[in-house]
Amino acid sequence: MHNTILPFMRNILSKNKQETMKSSLTALLNKDITFLTPGFSSRRKQELFADLFMLLESGIDISSCFEIIESAFQKKALKDIVSAIHGDLLRGSSLADAFEKTKKFNEYECQGIRIGEETGRLNDVLRELSVYYKDRIELQRKITGALSYPAIIVLVATLVVYFMLSFIVPMFEDVFRRFGKELPPLTQMVIRISHGFGNSFVFVVGIILALSAFGWYSRKQEWFRKYTSYTLLRVPLLGNILRKVYMARLCLGMELLLGSYVPLLRAVQLSRRMVQFR
């Protein structure tokens, strides 16, 4: 029965959800820049907060809400996380503490839920968190769609150049040698590039992979975050996009917290924790 309740309610309340989840920050807040804790992606978090808001708004008690949500998830890992939250609630923990114990939700989310519980605006907080992740997912799709075509073009062009210099040019070199005439300087330069291209290509790919591995290993180091952030902000176009995205994210956090009657300074402190960009 639980497997059918949630989809049924989603269909009934979908129109109302779409109206309440519209935001003027949609175009800027969809980008998922930070790496979330494995096990709960942005989409799963959006579904969890949206479903929890929808069920609580319908007057269902919170224990039954988690039973329904747990039955809606298919993956065992997700079921276990929701079950753990439900178990902590039954043992007397607050909802914020139950979310925090899973270590799958960041401090901003947990503090937002805690404030919602303390101020009696939990439904508003859950709705805003759902909107937040919905916006991030949408912009992530837009950016991925915008960058995928140029990335494919660059990849194909690189492969074509590699094929030409590694296979086609050596074939023409043999043909030119049979003529016994001196080749133009430009042709000689292309042939010389072809001779050293194979080793150079492997070397360049090796350097790129090594730098990528080093960046992944050092991504949490303060000095590395500071240097990469400084560099990215000075990249043409990208720097301006990052500024706007994080400014919009800060505004969304402030809207959520101030709407829950959190003091201004406390709201600034909590909003700062949601921004991982150094």
mmCIF file of all heavy atoms in Angstrom, residues 66-97:
data_model
loop_
_atom_site.group_PDB
_atom_site.id
_atom_site.type_symbol
_atom_site.label_atom_id
_atom_site.label_comp_id
_atom_site.label_asym_id
_atom_site.label_seq_id
_atom_site.Cartn_x
_atom_site.Cartn_y
_atom_site.Cartn_z
ATOM 1 N N PHE A 66 7.972 8.644 7.060
ATOM 2 C CA PHE A 66 9.223 7.953 6.764
ATOM 3 C C PHE A 66 8.973 6.505 6.352
ATOM 4 O O PHE A 66 9.747 5.939 5.575
ATOM 5 C CB PHE A 66 10.170 8.023 7.964
ATOM 6 C CG PHE A 66 10.948 9.303 8.022
ATOM 7 C CD1 PHE A 66 10.522 10.360 8.812
ATOM 8 C CD2 PHE A 66 12.091 9.465 7.259
ATOM 9 C CE1 PHE A 66 11.238 11.546 8.848
ATOM 10 C CE2 PHE A 66 12.815 10.641 7.286
ATOM 11 C CZ PHE A 66 12.384 11.692 8.086
ATOM 12 N N GLU A 67 7.918 5.895 6.844
ATOM 13 C CA GLU A 67 7.582 4.552 6.386
ATOM 14 C C GLU A 67 7.221 4.559 4.905
ATOM 15 O O GLU A 67 7.643 3.685 4.134
ATOM 16 C CB GLU A 67 6.413 4.006 7.209
ATOM 17 C CG GLU A 67 6.770 3.687 8.657
ATOM 18 C CD GLU A 67 5.568 3.177 9.435
ATOM 19 O OE1 GLU A 67 4.476 3.073 8.822
ATOM 20 O OE2 GLU A 67 5.708 2.886 10.635
ATOM 21 N N ILE A 68 6.446 5.561 4.499
ATOM 22 C CA ILE A 68 6.056 5.672 3.092
ATOM 23 C C ILE A 68 7.264 5.984 2.217
ATOM 24 O O ILE A 68 7.455 5.387 1.147
ATOM 25 C CB ILE A 68 4.974 6.759 2.928
ATOM 26 C CG1 ILE A 68 3.705 6.345 3.676
ATOM 27 C CG2 ILE A 68 4.671 6.991 1.460
ATOM 28 C CD1 ILE A 68 2.652 7.441 3.729
ATOM 29 N N ILE A 69 8.096 6.926 2.661
ATOM 30 C CA ILE A 69 9.277 7.310 1.870
ATOM 31 C C ILE A 69 10.243 6.142 1.754
ATOM 32 O O ILE A 69 10.824 5.894 0.686
ATOM 33 C CB ILE A 69 9.971 8.522 2.507
ATOM 34 C CG1 ILE A 69 9.060 9.755 2.413
ATOM 35 C CG2 ILE A 69 11.305 8.807 1.838
ATOM 36 C CD1 ILE A 69 9.578 10.974 3.151
ATOM 37 N N GLU A 70 10.429 5.404 2.835
ATOM 38 C CA GLU A 70 11.336 4.250 2.801
ATOM 39 C C GLU A 70 10.862 3.216 1.786
ATOM 40 O O GLU A 70 11.667 2.635 1.052
ATOM 41 C CB GLU A 70 11.418 3.628 4.187
ATOM 42 C CG GLU A 70 12.384 2.435 4.274
ATOM 43 C CD GLU A 70 12.435 1.836 5.658
ATOM 44 O OE1 GLU A 70 11.832 2.417 6.586
ATOM 45 O OE2 GLU A 70 13.066 0.769 5.815
ATOM 46 N N SER A 71 9.570 2.984 1.717
ATOM 47 C CA SER A 71 9.051 2.007 0.766
ATOM 48 C C SER A 71 9.157 2.496 -0.667
ATOM 49 O O SER A 71 9.162 1.698 -1.607
ATOM 50 C CB SER A 71 7.592 1.693 1.091
ATOM 51 O OG SER A 71 6.767 2.840 0.914
ATOM 52 N N ALA A 72 9.244 3.825 -0.857
ATOM 53 C CA ALA A 72 9.332 4.372 -2.215
ATOM 54 C C ALA A 72 10.727 4.236 -2.803
ATOM 55 O O ALA A 72 10.876 4.169 -4.025
ATOM 56 C CB ALA A 72 8.918 5.841 -2.210
ATOM 57 N N PHE A 73 11.772 4.219 -1.975
ATOM 58 C CA PHE A 73 13.133 4.068 -2.479
ATOM 59 C C PHE A 73 13.391 2.613 -2.854
ATOM 60 O O PHE A 73 12.976 1.694 -2.149
ATOM 61 C CB PHE A 73 14.156 4.520 -1.430
ATOM 62 C CG PHE A 73 14.296 6.014 -1.324
ATOM 63 C CD1 PHE A 73 14.056 6.667 -0.124
ATOM 64 C CD2 PHE A 73 14.678 6.770 -2.417
ATOM 65 C CE1 PHE A 73 14.179 8.043 -0.024
ATOM 66 C CE2 PHE A 73 14.811 8.144 -2.331
ATOM 67 C CZ PHE A 73 14.553 8.780 -1.127
ATOM 68 N N GLN A 74 14.119 2.423 -3.958
ATOM 69 C CA GLN A 74 14.400 1.083 -4.450
ATOM 70 C C GLN A 74 15.750 0.553 -3.966
ATOM 71 O O GLN A 74 15.894 -0.629 -3.684
ATOM 72 C CB GLN A 74 14.366 1.077 -5.985
ATOM 73 C CG GLN A 74 13.031 1.514 -6.568
ATOM 74 C CD GLN A 74 11.890 0.606 -6.182
ATOM 75 O OE1 GLN A 74 12.067 -0.609 -6.059
ATOM 76 N NE2 GLN A 74 10.707 1.174 -5.974
ATOM 77 N N LYS A 75 16.749 1.434 -3.885
ATOM 78 C CA LYS A 75 18.089 1.003 -3.506
ATOM 79 C C LYS A 75 18.172 0.743 -1.999
ATOM 80 O O LYS A 75 17.657 1.518 -1.198
ATOM 81 C CB LYS A 75 19.124 2.046 -3.917
ATOM 82 C CG LYS A 75 19.264 2.206 -5.423
ATOM 83 C CD LYS A 75 20.372 3.176 -5.758
ATOM 84 C CE LYS A 75 20.554 3.300 -7.263
ATOM 85 N NZ LYS A 75 21.631 4.259 -7.612
ATOM 86 N N LYS A 76 18.861 -0.329 -1.663
ATOM 87 C CA LYS A 76 18.968 -0.717 -0.251
ATOM 88 C C LYS A 76 19.715 0.338 0.560
ATOM 89 O O LYS A 76 19.363 0.613 1.710
ATOM 90 C CB LYS A 76 19.683 -2.064 -0.129
ATOM 91 C CG LYS A 76 19.763 -2.584 1.302
ATOM 92 C CD LYS A 76 20.442 -3.936 1.359
ATOM 93 C CE LYS A 76 20.460 -4.478 2.785
ATOM 94 N NZ LYS A 76 21.151 -3.580 3.717
ATOM 95 N N ALA A 77 20.765 0.933 -0.033
ATOM 96 C CA ALA A 77 21.543 1.937 0.697
ATOM 97 C C ALA A 77 20.671 3.126 1.083
ATOM 98 O O ALA A 77 20.782 3.657 2.201
ATOM 99 C CB ALA A 77 22.724 2.400 -0.155
ATOM 100 N N LEU A 78 19.798 3.558 0.181
ATOM 101 C CA LEU A 78 18.915 4.684 0.476
ATOM 102 C C LEU A 78 17.862 4.288 1.509
ATOM 103 O O LEU A 78 17.521 5.079 2.393
ATOM 104 C CB LEU A 78 18.254 5.168 -0.812
ATOM 105 C CG LEU A 78 19.213 5.630 -1.915
ATOM 106 C CD1 LEU A 78 18.437 6.058 -3.149
ATOM 107 C CD2 LEU A 78 20.092 6.763 -1.420
ATOM 108 N N LYS A 79 17.345 3.071 1.378
ATOM 109 C CA LYS A 79 16.384 2.585 2.357
ATOM 110 C C LYS A 79 16.989 2.552 3.759
ATOM 111 O O LYS A 79 16.338 2.905 4.750
ATOM 112 C CB LYS A 79 15.904 1.179 1.972
ATOM 113 C CG LYS A 79 14.883 1.134 0.835
ATOM 114 C CD LYS A 79 14.507 -0.304 0.542
ATOM 115 C CE LYS A 79 13.397 -0.388 -0.488
ATOM 116 N NZ LYS A 79 12.103 0.083 0.057
ATOM 117 N N ASP A 80 18.248 2.129 3.827
ATOM 118 C CA ASP A 80 18.908 2.039 5.133
ATOM 119 C C ASP A 80 19.067 3.419 5.770
ATOM 120 O O ASP A 80 18.924 3.572 6.992
ATOM 121 C CB ASP A 80 20.283 1.374 4.981
ATOM 122 C CG ASP A 80 20.166 -0.097 4.614
ATOM 123 O OD1 ASP A 80 19.080 -0.677 4.822
ATOM 124 O OD2 ASP A 80 21.160 -0.665 4.102
ATOM 125 N N ILE A 81 19.371 4.429 4.953
ATOM 126 C CA ILE A 81 19.538 5.783 5.486
ATOM 127 C C ILE A 81 18.209 6.303 6.027
ATOM 128 O O ILE A 81 18.136 6.836 7.146
ATOM 129 C CB ILE A 81 20.083 6.723 4.396
ATOM 130 C CG1 ILE A 81 21.509 6.305 4.000
ATOM 131 C CG2 ILE A 81 20.086 8.166 4.882
ATOM 132 C CD1 ILE A 81 22.062 7.071 2.828
ATOM 133 N N VAL A 82 17.154 6.145 5.236
ATOM 134 C CA VAL A 82 15.828 6.604 5.682
ATOM 135 C C VAL A 82 15.379 5.812 6.909
ATOM 136 O O VAL A 82 14.797 6.365 7.847
ATOM 137 C CB VAL A 82 14.812 6.467 4.535
ATOM 138 C CG1 VAL A 82 13.410 6.852 5.009
ATOM 139 C CG2 VAL A 82 15.220 7.341 3.350
ATOM 140 N N SER A 83 15.672 4.514 6.921
ATOM 141 C CA SER A 83 15.303 3.682 8.067
ATOM 142 C C SER A 83 16.052 4.124 9.328
ATOM 143 O O SER A 83 15.487 4.121 10.428
ATOM 144 C CB SER A 83 15.608 2.216 7.762
ATOM 145 O OG SER A 83 15.327 1.390 8.866
ATOM 146 N N ALA A 84 17.321 4.509 9.158
ATOM 147 C CA ALA A 84 18.099 4.983 10.305
ATOM 148 C C ALA A 84 17.515 6.272 10.871
ATOM 149 O O ALA A 84 17.429 6.456 12.093
ATOM 150 C CB ALA A 84 19.558 5.186 9.894
ATOM 151 N N ILE A 85 17.110 7.184 9.985
ATOM 152 C CA ILE A 85 16.485 8.428 10.436
ATOM 153 C C ILE A 85 15.184 8.119 11.188
ATOM 154 O O ILE A 85 14.912 8.665 12.263
ATOM 155 C CB ILE A 85 16.208 9.356 9.236
ATOM 156 C CG1 ILE A 85 17.530 9.777 8.578
ATOM 157 C CG2 ILE A 85 15.435 10.595 9.677
ATOM 158 C CD1 ILE A 85 17.344 10.578 7.302
ATOM 159 N N HIS A 86 14.396 7.206 10.619
ATOM 160 C CA HIS A 86 13.122 6.827 11.245
ATOM 161 C C HIS A 86 13.369 6.205 12.616
ATOM 162 O O HIS A 86 12.663 6.517 13.597
ATOM 163 C CB HIS A 86 12.385 5.852 10.323
ATOM 164 C CG HIS A 86 11.006 5.529 10.788
ATOM 165 N ND1 HIS A 86 10.336 4.388 10.394
ATOM 166 C CD2 HIS A 86 10.175 6.176 11.650
ATOM 167 C CE1 HIS A 86 9.151 4.371 10.966
ATOM 168 N NE2 HIS A 86 9.023 5.440 11.730
ATOM 169 N N GLY A 87 14.372 5.337 12.705
ATOM 170 C CA GLY A 87 14.669 4.702 13.985
ATOM 171 C C GLY A 87 15.085 5.696 15.045
ATOM 172 O O GLY A 87 14.669 5.590 16.209
ATOM 173 N N ASP A 88 15.910 6.687 14.664
ATOM 174 C CA ASP A 88 16.322 7.708 15.627
ATOM 175 C C ASP A 88 15.126 8.543 16.088
ATOM 176 O O ASP A 88 15.060 8.943 17.267
ATOM 177 C CB ASP A 88 17.381 8.617 14.996
ATOM 178 C CG ASP A 88 18.731 7.924 14.873
ATOM 179 O OD1 ASP A 88 18.998 7.014 15.685
ATOM 180 O OD2 ASP A 88 19.506 8.271 13.955
ATOM 181 N N LEU A 89 14.206 8.815 15.189
ATOM 182 C CA LEU A 89 13.006 9.565 15.578
ATOM 183 C C LEU A 89 12.189 8.787 16.599
ATOM 184 O O LEU A 89 11.701 9.346 17.587
ATOM 185 C CB LEU A 89 12.155 9.864 14.342
ATOM 186 C CG LEU A 89 12.670 10.946 13.383
ATOM 187 C CD1 LEU A 89 11.767 11.036 12.155
ATOM 188 C CD2 LEU A 89 12.731 12.295 14.084
ATOM 189 N N LEU A 90 12.045 7.489 16.368
ATOM 190 C CA LEU A 90 11.270 6.662 17.296
ATOM 191 C C LEU A 90 11.948 6.558 18.660
ATOM 192 O O LEU A 90 11.278 6.345 19.680
ATOM 193 C CB LEU A 90 11.065 5.265 16.706
ATOM 194 C CG LEU A 90 10.214 5.190 15.426
ATOM 195 C CD1 LEU A 90 10.134 3.757 14.920
ATOM 196 C CD2 LEU A 90 8.820 5.737 15.678
ATOM 197 N N ARG A 91 13.273 6.719 18.681
ATOM 198 C CA ARG A 91 14.005 6.664 19.953
ATOM 199 C C ARG A 91 14.044 8.014 20.662
ATOM 200 O O ARG A 91 14.695 8.148 21.695
ATOM 201 C CB ARG A 91 15.423 6.145 19.710
ATOM 202 C CG ARG A 91 15.479 4.650 19.412
ATOM 203 C CD ARG A 91 16.909 4.151 19.368
ATOM 204 N NE ARG A 91 17.602 4.618 18.187
ATOM 205 C CZ ARG A 91 17.620 3.982 17.018
ATOM 206 N NH1 ARG A 91 16.952 2.833 16.893
ATOM 207 N NH2 ARG A 91 18.278 4.462 15.985
ATOM 208 N N GLY A 92 13.389 9.013 20.082
ATOM 209 C CA GLY A 92 13.260 10.300 20.756
ATOM 210 C C GLY A 92 14.157 11.402 20.239
ATOM 211 O O GLY A 92 14.143 12.501 20.800
ATOM 212 N N SER A 93 14.947 11.139 19.200
ATOM 213 C CA SER A 93 15.807 12.190 18.650
ATOM 214 C C SER A 93 14.973 13.196 17.866
ATOM 215 O O SER A 93 13.891 12.877 17.354
ATOM 216 C CB SER A 93 16.874 11.578 17.730
ATOM 217 O OG SER A 93 17.745 10.735 18.436
ATOM 218 N N SER A 94 15.498 14.396 17.759
ATOM 219 C CA SER A 94 14.850 15.385 16.901
ATOM 220 C C SER A 94 15.145 15.039 15.447
ATOM 221 O O SER A 94 16.063 14.263 15.143
ATOM 222 C CB SER A 94 15.375 16.790 17.220
ATOM 223 O OG SER A 94 16.753 16.891 16.877
ATOM 224 N N LEU A 95 14.376 15.617 14.544
ATOM 225 C CA LEU A 95 14.574 15.330 13.126
ATOM 226 C C LEU A 95 15.948 15.797 12.658
ATOM 227 O O LEU A 95 16.627 15.106 11.886
ATOM 228 C CB LEU A 95 13.475 16.009 12.299
ATOM 229 C CG LEU A 95 13.494 15.737 10.790
ATOM 230 C CD1 LEU A 95 13.332 14.244 10.510
ATOM 231 C CD2 LEU A 95 12.393 16.531 10.094
ATOM 232 N N ALA A 96 16.377 16.964 13.147
ATOM 233 C CA ALA A 96 17.691 17.486 12.761
ATOM 234 C C ALA A 96 18.810 16.573 13.239
ATOM 235 O O ALA A 96 19.756 16.288 12.503
ATOM 236 C CB ALA A 96 17.880 18.896 13.320
ATOM 237 N N ASP A 97 18.708 16.095 14.477
ATOM 238 C CA ASP A 97 19.729 15.183 14.998
ATOM 239 C C ASP A 97 19.733 13.868 14.226
ATOM 240 O O ASP A 97 20.802 13.289 13.971
ATOM 241 C CB ASP A 97 19.481 14.911 16.479
ATOM 242 C CG ASP A 97 19.762 16.122 17.352
ATOM 243 O OD1 ASP A 97 20.531 16.995 16.905
ATOM 244 O OD2 ASP A 97 19.205 16.198 18.467
#
